[in-house]
PDB file of all heavy atoms in Angstrom:
ATOM      1  N   SER A  52     -39.474 -39.060 -27.881  1.00 95.00           N
ATOM      2  CA  SER A  52     -38.833 -39.656 -29.001  1.00 95.00           C
ATOM      3  C   SER A  52     -38.504 -38.544 -30.018  1.00 95.00           C
ATOM      4  O   SER A  52     -39.349 -37.801 -30.372  1.00 95.00           O
ATOM      5  CB  SER A  52     -39.734 -40.747 -29.639  1.00 95.00           C
ATOM      6  OG  SER A  52     -39.192 -41.149 -30.913  1.00 95.00           O
ATOM      7  N   GLY A  53     -37.248 -38.465 -30.447  1.00 96.00           N
ATOM      8  CA  GLY A  53     -36.704 -37.603 -31.442  1.00 96.00           C
ATOM      9  C   GLY A  53     -36.661 -36.162 -30.968  1.00 96.00           C
ATOM     10  O   GLY A  53     -36.443 -35.257 -31.764  1.00 96.00           O
ATOM     11  N   GLU A  54     -36.811 -35.958 -29.656  1.00 96.00           N
ATOM     12  CA  GLU A  54     -36.828 -34.560 -29.081  1.00 96.00           C
ATOM     13  C   GLU A  54     -35.393 -33.861 -29.277  1.00 96.00           C
ATOM     14  O   GLU A  54     -34.407 -34.559 -29.251  1.00 96.00           O
ATOM     15  CB  GLU A  54     -37.138 -34.648 -27.643  1.00 96.00           C
ATOM     16  CG  GLU A  54     -37.287 -33.245 -27.012  1.00 96.00           C
ATOM     17  CD  GLU A  54     -37.878 -33.356 -25.585  1.00 96.00           C
ATOM     18  OE1 GLU A  54     -37.929 -34.430 -25.035  1.00 96.00           O
ATOM     19  OE2 GLU A  54     -38.331 -32.387 -25.091  1.00 96.00           O
ATOM     20  N   VAL A  55     -35.423 -32.659 -29.664  1.00 97.00           N
ATOM     21  CA  VAL A  55     -34.255 -31.830 -29.795  1.00 97.00           C
ATOM     22  C   VAL A  55     -34.464 -30.580 -28.970  1.00 97.00           C
ATOM     23  O   VAL A  55     -35.485 -29.918 -29.141  1.00 97.00           O
ATOM     24  CB  VAL A  55     -33.997 -31.476 -31.245  1.00 97.00           C
ATOM     25  CG1 VAL A  55     -32.714 -30.612 -31.372  1.00 97.00           C
ATOM     26  CG2 VAL A  55     -33.744 -32.710 -32.115  1.00 97.00           C
ATOM     27  N   LYS A  56     -33.505 -30.314 -28.165  1.00 96.00           N
ATOM     28  CA  LYS A  56     -33.476 -29.039 -27.332  1.00 96.00           C
ATOM     29  C   LYS A  56     -32.189 -28.267 -27.562  1.00 96.00           C
ATOM     30  O   LYS A  56     -31.117 -28.904 -27.631  1.00 96.00           O
ATOM     31  CB  LYS A  56     -33.761 -29.323 -25.879  1.00 96.00           C
ATOM     32  CG  LYS A  56     -35.168 -29.782 -25.580  1.00 96.00           C
ATOM     33  CD  LYS A  56     -35.424 -29.878 -24.078  1.00 96.00           C
ATOM     34  CE  LYS A  56     -36.820 -30.283 -23.714  1.00 96.00           C
ATOM     35  NZ  LYS A  56     -37.030 -30.377 -22.261  1.00 96.00           N
ATOM     36  N   LYS A  57     -32.217 -26.984 -27.448  1.00 97.00           N
ATOM     37  CA  LYS A  57     -31.029 -26.167 -27.578  1.00 97.00           C
ATOM     38  C   LYS A  57     -30.959 -25.225 -26.431  1.00 97.00           C
ATOM     39  O   LYS A  57     -31.901 -24.732 -25.895  1.00 97.00           O
ATOM     40  CB  LYS A  57     -31.083 -25.337 -28.931  1.00 97.00           C
ATOM     41  CG  LYS A  57     -31.010 -26.169 -30.130  1.00 97.00           C
ATOM     42  CD  LYS A  57     -30.796 -25.379 -31.444  1.00 97.00           C
ATOM     43  CE  LYS A  57     -30.584 -26.262 -32.619  1.00 97.00           C
ATOM     44  NZ  LYS A  57     -30.228 -25.468 -33.783  1.00 97.00           N
ATOM     45  N   GLN A  58     -29.616 -25.100 -26.001  1.00 96.00           N
ATOM     46  CA  GLN A  58     -29.275 -24.167 -24.941  1.00 96.00           C
ATOM     47  C   GLN A  58     -28.042 -23.436 -25.520  1.00 96.00           C
ATOM     48  O   GLN A  58     -26.920 -23.845 -25.446  1.00 96.00           O
ATOM     49  CB  GLN A  58     -28.901 -24.791 -23.648  1.00 96.00           C
ATOM     50  CG  GLN A  58     -30.025 -25.417 -22.920  1.00 96.00           C
ATOM     51  CD  GLN A  58     -29.520 -26.083 -21.652  1.00 96.00           C
ATOM     52  OE1 GLN A  58     -28.410 -26.209 -21.391  1.00 96.00           O
ATOM     53  NE2 GLN A  58     -30.477 -26.458 -20.823  1.00 96.00           N
ATOM     54  N   LYS A  59     -28.253 -22.221 -26.128  1.00 96.00           N
ATOM     55  CA  LYS A  59     -27.170 -21.440 -26.704  1.00 96.00           C
ATOM     56  C   LYS A  59     -26.461 -22.333 -27.781  1.00 96.00           C
ATOM     57  O   LYS A  59     -26.911 -22.764 -28.740  1.00 96.00           O
ATOM     58  CB  LYS A  59     -26.335 -20.873 -25.607  1.00 96.00           C
ATOM     59  CG  LYS A  59     -27.106 -19.925 -24.764  1.00 96.00           C
ATOM     60  CD  LYS A  59     -26.157 -19.239 -23.718  1.00 96.00           C
ATOM     61  CE  LYS A  59     -26.986 -18.335 -22.734  1.00 96.00           C
ATOM     62  NZ  LYS A  59     -26.139 -17.711 -21.687  1.00 96.00           N
ATOM     63  N   ARG A  60     -25.130 -22.590 -27.452  1.00 97.00           N
ATOM     64  CA  ARG A  60     -24.304 -23.417 -28.391  1.00 97.00           C
ATOM     65  C   ARG A  60     -24.472 -24.898 -28.213  1.00 97.00           C
ATOM     66  O   ARG A  60     -23.853 -25.698 -28.910  1.00 97.00           O
ATOM     67  CB  ARG A  60     -22.818 -23.051 -28.195  1.00 97.00           C
ATOM     68  CG  ARG A  60     -22.549 -21.579 -28.578  1.00 97.00           C
ATOM     69  CD  ARG A  60     -21.099 -21.210 -28.348  1.00 97.00           C
ATOM     70  NE  ARG A  60     -20.751 -21.191 -26.934  1.00 97.00           N
ATOM     71  CZ  ARG A  60     -20.063 -22.203 -26.289  1.00 97.00           C
ATOM     72  NH1 ARG A  60     -19.609 -23.246 -27.038  1.00 97.00           N
ATOM     73  NH2 ARG A  60     -19.778 -22.203 -25.085  1.00 97.00           N
ATOM     74  N   LEU A  61     -25.286 -25.344 -27.278  1.00 98.00           N
ATOM     75  CA  LEU A  61     -25.499 -26.745 -26.956  1.00 98.00           C
ATOM     76  C   LEU A  61     -26.745 -27.202 -27.620  1.00 98.00           C
ATOM     77  O   LEU A  61     -27.822 -26.632 -27.414  1.00 98.00           O
ATOM     78  CB  LEU A  61     -25.527 -27.036 -25.402  1.00 98.00           C
ATOM     79  CG  LEU A  61     -24.250 -27.150 -24.688  1.00 98.00           C
ATOM     80  CD1 LEU A  61     -23.356 -25.822 -24.855  1.00 98.00           C
ATOM     81  CD2 LEU A  61     -24.447 -27.458 -23.232  1.00 98.00           C
ATOM     82  N   THR A  62     -26.635 -28.428 -28.267  1.00 98.00           N
ATOM     83  CA  THR A  62     -27.858 -29.075 -28.887  1.00 98.00           C
ATOM     84  C   THR A  62     -27.972 -30.420 -28.362  1.00 98.00           C
ATOM     85  O   THR A  62     -26.966 -31.171 -28.476  1.00 98.00           O
ATOM     86  CB  THR A  62     -27.777 -28.966 -30.445  1.00 98.00           C
ATOM     87  OG1 THR A  62     -27.699 -27.728 -30.887  1.00 98.00           O
ATOM     88  CG2 THR A  62     -29.067 -29.655 -30.984  1.00 98.00           C
ATOM     89  N   PHE A  63     -29.103 -30.731 -27.822  1.00 98.00           N
ATOM     90  CA  PHE A  63     -29.321 -32.086 -27.198  1.00 98.00           C
ATOM     91  C   PHE A  63     -30.358 -32.864 -28.072  1.00 98.00           C
ATOM     92  O   PHE A  63     -31.388 -32.271 -28.442  1.00 98.00           O
ATOM     93  CB  PHE A  63     -29.857 -31.886 -25.760  1.00 98.00           C
ATOM     94  CG  PHE A  63     -28.987 -31.186 -24.833  1.00 98.00           C
ATOM     95  CD1 PHE A  63     -29.023 -29.755 -24.792  1.00 98.00           C
ATOM     96  CD2 PHE A  63     -28.060 -31.770 -24.056  1.00 98.00           C
ATOM     97  CE1 PHE A  63     -28.271 -29.022 -23.917  1.00 98.00           C
ATOM     98  CE2 PHE A  63     -27.273 -31.048 -23.183  1.00 98.00           C
ATOM     99  CZ  PHE A  63     -27.334 -29.623 -23.150  1.00 98.00           C
ATOM    100  N   GLN A  64     -30.120 -34.034 -28.282  1.00 98.00           N
ATOM    101  CA  GLN A  64     -31.069 -34.895 -29.123  1.00 98.00           C
ATOM    102  C   GLN A  64     -31.347 -36.240 -28.460  1.00 98.00           C
ATOM    103  O   GLN A  64     -30.397 -36.851 -27.913  1.00 98.00           O
ATOM    104  CB  GLN A  64     -30.464 -35.087 -30.484  1.00 98.00           C
ATOM    105  CG  GLN A  64     -31.422 -35.639 -31.557  1.00 98.00           C
ATOM    106  CD  GLN A  64     -30.932 -35.503 -32.904  1.00 98.00           C
ATOM    107  OE1 GLN A  64     -29.821 -35.045 -33.189  1.00 98.00           O
ATOM    108  NE2 GLN A  64     -31.754 -35.850 -33.955  1.00 98.00           N
ATOM    109  N   PHE A  65     -32.625 -36.627 -28.581  1.00 97.00           N
ATOM    110  CA  PHE A  65     -32.992 -37.991 -28.083  1.00 97.00           C
ATOM    111  C   PHE A  65     -33.410 -38.787 -29.217  1.00 97.00           C
ATOM    112  O   PHE A  65     -34.260 -38.344 -30.146  1.00 97.00           O
ATOM    113  CB  PHE A  65     -34.150 -37.783 -27.138  1.00 97.00           C
ATOM    114  CG  PHE A  65     -34.383 -38.974 -26.112  1.00 97.00           C
ATOM    115  CD1 PHE A  65     -33.472 -39.969 -26.046  1.00 97.00           C
ATOM    116  CD2 PHE A  65     -35.445 -38.937 -25.278  1.00 97.00           C
ATOM    117  CE1 PHE A  65     -33.629 -41.030 -25.146  1.00 97.00           C
ATOM    118  CE2 PHE A  65     -35.705 -39.960 -24.367  1.00 97.00           C
ATOM    119  CZ  PHE A  65     -34.816 -40.988 -24.319  1.00 97.00           C
ATOM    120  N   GLY A  66     -32.854 -40.003 -29.403  1.00 96.00           N
ATOM    121  CA  GLY A  66     -33.083 -40.743 -30.572  1.00 96.00           C
ATOM    122  C   GLY A  66     -34.583 -41.143 -30.780  1.00 96.00           C
ATOM    123  O   GLY A  66     -35.380 -41.271 -29.767  1.00 96.00           O
ATOM    124  N   GLU A  67     -34.900 -41.484 -31.951  1.00 95.00           N
ATOM    125  CA  GLU A  67     -36.314 -41.849 -32.382  1.00 95.00           C
ATOM    126  C   GLU A  67     -36.661 -43.195 -31.502  1.00 95.00           C
ATOM    127  O   GLU A  67     -37.841 -43.270 -31.019  1.00 95.00           O
ATOM    128  CB  GLU A  67     -36.401 -42.134 -33.750  1.00 95.00           C
ATOM    129  CG  GLU A  67     -36.270 -40.902 -34.666  1.00 95.00           C
ATOM    130  CD  GLU A  67     -37.470 -39.958 -34.552  1.00 95.00           C
ATOM    131  OE1 GLU A  67     -38.559 -40.377 -34.033  1.00 95.00           O
ATOM    132  OE2 GLU A  67     -37.328 -38.817 -34.906  1.00 95.00           O
TER     133      GLU A  67
END
Side-chain angles (χ1 to χ4, degrees):
Chain A
S52 168
E54 189 170 12
V55 178
K56 288 187 177 180
K57 293 192 175 187
Q58 288 179 352
K59 297 182 180 177
R60 294 179 294 105
L61 277 61
T62 302
F63 304 85
Q64 189 165 5
F65 202 6
E67 292 289 341

